[in-house]
Amino acid sequence: MSGKIKSRSAANADSISGGVSCDERILRDCHQLYADPDSGLITVAESVGVKLLAPRKKITVMLMGNHSAGKSSFINWYVEEHIQRTGVAIETQGFSFVTSGRKRESLTGNATLHLYPHFKPLQEFKGVSEYLSTEICTSRQKRFSLVTFVDSPGLVDGDMKYPFDVDKVILWLGDLCDLILVFFDPMGQALCKRTLNIVESLNETHGDRVRFYLSKADEAGGESDRQRVMMQIVQELCKRPGLNKCGFDMPTIYIPNPNKPSRCVNQIEEVCRTIEKTINQTVQNTLNSLEKDCELISKAITDTLNIDRQTTFENRRARCKSCFLTLLGFSIPMALMALLVLGALSEEVLGMVLGPQGTEALSLYMTPVIRILESLSMEMQLYSVAGLVLLSFLLLIISRFSFRTRQTMSSKQKRQLQEKLEYVQEVVKSKKKKLYEEYLRQSVSDQDMDL
């Protein structure tokens, strides 16, 4: 299943043209610094063999729990639009992504995976692709412009069969999500073993991302009934070593209804604060990662240039050694040829060519060599000449193969790397500093910033 299904008019389409929040602009600018095809950090990093991932422009919040726990209702309440189907029956059969965009749109299958490339490995799970969907709406309520909700299927025990391995998919999505909201309902399904098993596995690896809530708290009856439900859930959770930890908290939440007032304490705003805190932490983490990646790229470029300089120096030394051995290898046969030629010439010819002084000097240097050769037998002389020729060949082979040079960068390549280094250190780091200042100005005064 792929492509768009349908297009609807948005209830608040005019608001999409409104002002963009500071956090949204910071995440968008950081993503652009990475993803720009010409001068993005990903492109720069690839040139020096470093792999980077562009930060996401939104946080991902996954909602999980048993069926009819109020997950879809919470999403509708948060975006203040009726996006997800709700009801007592199992309405959400697959994984539904809910995000903000330019117009109201529904996507399924391949269109969803194209919208979220980092979720493409979901294709490896048999049957999942046909149960993926995306709901795009233009709501700007709360912090929805910075959030992508993942509404997971309702979990049940017994003979209920899913068209895919729902447990493995939820665990895989838990690795990518920034926040995992677990909804327990007070209607007897909160002790669903499948839900508790998945929650325990998620808590082992991502305990800092998991939050527990008692949803539909207004339907639990009186205060004493809610207390019993809470105690029952906590007792069941404490039986599992992975979930039995100090600081356990499970706020009571429900969707407020003006036509149905309730005396139950509603902590649903606590969920909003948790999402907002995750967004703020994500902004900080993104800016910190930007700085670390800049340092990583700068170090990689600097190391590459230093290695190239060292390679150039080693190549120069190798060439000098190779030239020396080559000259030495050729000098031996040249000396033997010179010795034969000079030995064949008469003294009168040598005197005419070299003059009296040259002949005397040549005689001075050649006399010891001639005496050594004369002291050897003819057979030994042949062996000596053959040995010298062999030595000459060995020197030439050594100079050819033992002092090979390695490839170095051209002047153009080094200049381009230097320009990239300056771009990262001057442009990107300067941009990161400004973005951090914009983020901090939301919380502190300019006077504190000057400090």
Side-chain angles (χ1 to χ4, degrees):
M1 299 173 67
S2 63
K4 299 185 292 185
I5 294 180
K6 48 196 171 183
S7 176
R8 310 185 187 97
S9 60
N12 55 349
D14 294 337
S15 64
I16 196 67
S17 59
V20 178
S21 67
C22 181
D23 291 341
E24 187 175 356
R25 185 174 63 256
I26 289 173
L27 291 176
R28 182 189 62 193
D29 290 350
C30 288
H31 182 273
Q32 184 64 24
L33 286 174
Y34 279 84
D36 187 272
D38 297 324
S39 59
L41 292 182
I42 293 179
T43 303
V44 175
E46 286 179 350
S47 65
V48 287
V50 177
K51 291 186 177 180
L52 296 179
L53 293 176
R56 285 174 278 174
K57 292 179 281 188
K58 299 180 181 181
I59 69 167
T60 304
V61 179
M62 181 170 66
L63 291 83
M64 64 164 294
N66 57 279
H67 80 88
S68 190
K71 303 183 296 296
S72 299
S73 297
F74 172 80
I75 294 175
N76 291 341
W77 172 83
Y78 191 89
V79 304
E80 298 188 17
E81 287 189 24
H82 189 77
I83 302 297
Q84 294 291 87
R85 295 173 59 189
T86 59
V88 177
I90 302 178
E91 299 291 353
T92 305
Q93 297 182 345
F95 290 89
S96 180
F97 298 85
V98 182
T99 189
S100 62
R102 296 180 179 179
K103 68 175 183 177
R104 183 71 177 93
E105 196 82 25
S106 295
L107 309 175
T108 59
N110 290 336
T112 294
L113 296 177
H114 277 83
L115 182 63
Y116 302 106
H118 48 285
F119 286 135
K120 279 193 174 181
L122 284 173
Q123 292 175 319
E124 300 175 6
F125 295 92
K126 184 178 179 181
V128 175
S129 298
E130 298 180 359
Y131 289 88
L132 291 179
S133 64
T134 298
E135 298 294 336
I136 304 173
C137 71
T138 59
S139 172
R140 308 288 292 183
Q141 301 300 326
K142 303 178 182 67
R143 306 300 297 277
F144 181 55
S145 60
L146 289 169
V147 179
T148 295
F149 286 110
V150 181
D151 194 1
S152 62
L155 301 175
V156 295
D157 288 332
D159 298 330
M160 175 67 180
K161 292 185 179 180
Y162 296 85
F164 49 85
D165 193 332
V166 66
D167 298 25
K168 288 185 178 180
V169 176
I170 291 178
L171 292 175
W172 184 87
L173 286 171
D175 295 334
L176 273 70
C177 292
D178 303 286
L179 187 63
I180 303 170
L181 306 181
V182 182
F183 284 9
F184 293 111
D185 78 293
M187 307 308 292
Q189 295 295 329
L191 305 182
C192 171
K193 290 184 179 180
R194 183 191 294 270
T195 301
L196 294 177
N197 290 337
I198 297 176
V199 169
E200 186 175 19
S201 298
L202 287 171
N203 197 68
E204 289 178 358
T205 53
H206 308 297
D208 57 328
R209 307 179 192 174
V210 181
R211 301 290 186 275
F212 302 100
Y213 298 96
L214 179 64
S215 61
K216 296 185 177 182
D218 58 332
E219 299 180 7
E223 184 63 28
S224 60
D225 295 327
R226 277 191 295 275
Q227 291 294 334
R228 282 195 294 271
V229 170
M230 293 282 287
M231 290 178 62
Q232 188 179 14
I233 295 174
V234 172
Q235 286 176 354
E236 188 66 28
L237 292 174
C238 290
K239 291 179 182 178
R240 298 170 178 265
L243 299 175
N244 189 4
K245 61 181 180 180
C246 63
F248 179 83
D249 188 24
M250 189 166 60
T252 56
I253 64 173
Y254 59 90
I255 305 302
N257 186 354
N259 299 323
K260 187 181 176 182
S262 175
R263 299 180 62 183
C264 175
V265 177
N266 191 0
Q267 297 175 280
I268 195 167
E269 292 296 334
E270 182 69 25
V271 188
C272 299
R273 284 191 288 270
T274 300
I275 293 175
E276 184 169 356
K277 183 178 179 181
T278 303
I279 292 172
N280 294 336
Q281 191 63 49
T282 300
V283 174
Q284 296 178 42
N285 292 339
T286 299
L287 290 170
N288 293 337
S289 296
L290 176 60
E291 183 174 9
K292 292 179 181 178
D293 289 339
C294 286
E295 295 295 337
L296 181 65
I297 294 174
S298 298
K299 184 178 184 301
I301 293 177
T302 302
D303 291 345
T304 301
L305 292 173
N306 290 337
I307 291 173
D308 185 75
R309 281 193 288 268
Q310 182 66 24
T311 302
T312 301
F313 175 74
E314 292 176 356
N315 286 347
R316 191 179 297 117
R317 291 180 57 184
R319 290 191 187 98
C320 291
K321 292 179 179 179
S322 178
C323 289
F324 173 75
L325 291 179
T326 300
L327 291 174
L328 187 60
F330 279 115
S331 65
I332 293 176
M334 294 295 292
L336 291 175
M337 291 180 63
L339 184 63
L340 292 174
V341 171
L342 293 175
L345 296 177
S346 61
E347 294 184 1
E348 291 79 5
V349 175
L350 289 175
M352 292 176 59
V353 174
L354 301 177
Q357 294 181 350
T359 303
E360 184 178 354
L362 179 63
S363 175
L364 180 64
Y365 288 109
M366 294 296 296
T367 299
V369 177
I370 294 173
R371 288 180 179 176
I372 293 174
L373 291 175
E374 289 178 349
S375 64
L376 299 175
S377 63
M378 182 62 64
E379 185 179 1
M380 289 298 298
Q381 290 181 11
L382 292 175
Y383 283 142
S384 299
V385 171
L388 290 175
V389 172
L390 179 61
L391 177 61
S392 174
F393 276 113
L394 288 176
L395 291 174
L396 293 175
I397 292 173
I398 292 173
S399 67
R400 177 66 178 85
F401 294 103
S402 298
F403 298 103
R404 290 181 175 180
T405 58
R406 292 182 293 172
Q407 186 176 3
T408 57
M409 293 185 293
S410 64
S411 300
K412 180 180 179 181
Q413 290 174 321
K414 289 187 282 188
R415 184 175 65 255
Q416 289 175 342
L417 274 184
Q418 190 63 39
E419 290 174 353
K420 292 176 180 178
L421 179 62
E422 293 174 357
Y423 168 76
V424 171
Q425 292 182 338
E426 297 176 8
V427 178
V428 178
K429 283 190 174 182
S430 176
K431 179 68 173 178
K432 176 260 171 187
K433 183 179 179 181
K434 292 180 180 178
L435 291 176
Y436 229 133
E437 290 176 355
E438 289 182 19
Y439 173 74
L440 294 175
R441 281 197 180 96
Q442 297 179 105
S443 306
V444 299
S445 62
D446 291 339
Q447 183 179 358
D448 294 329
M449 290 293 296
D450 292 336
L451 291 175

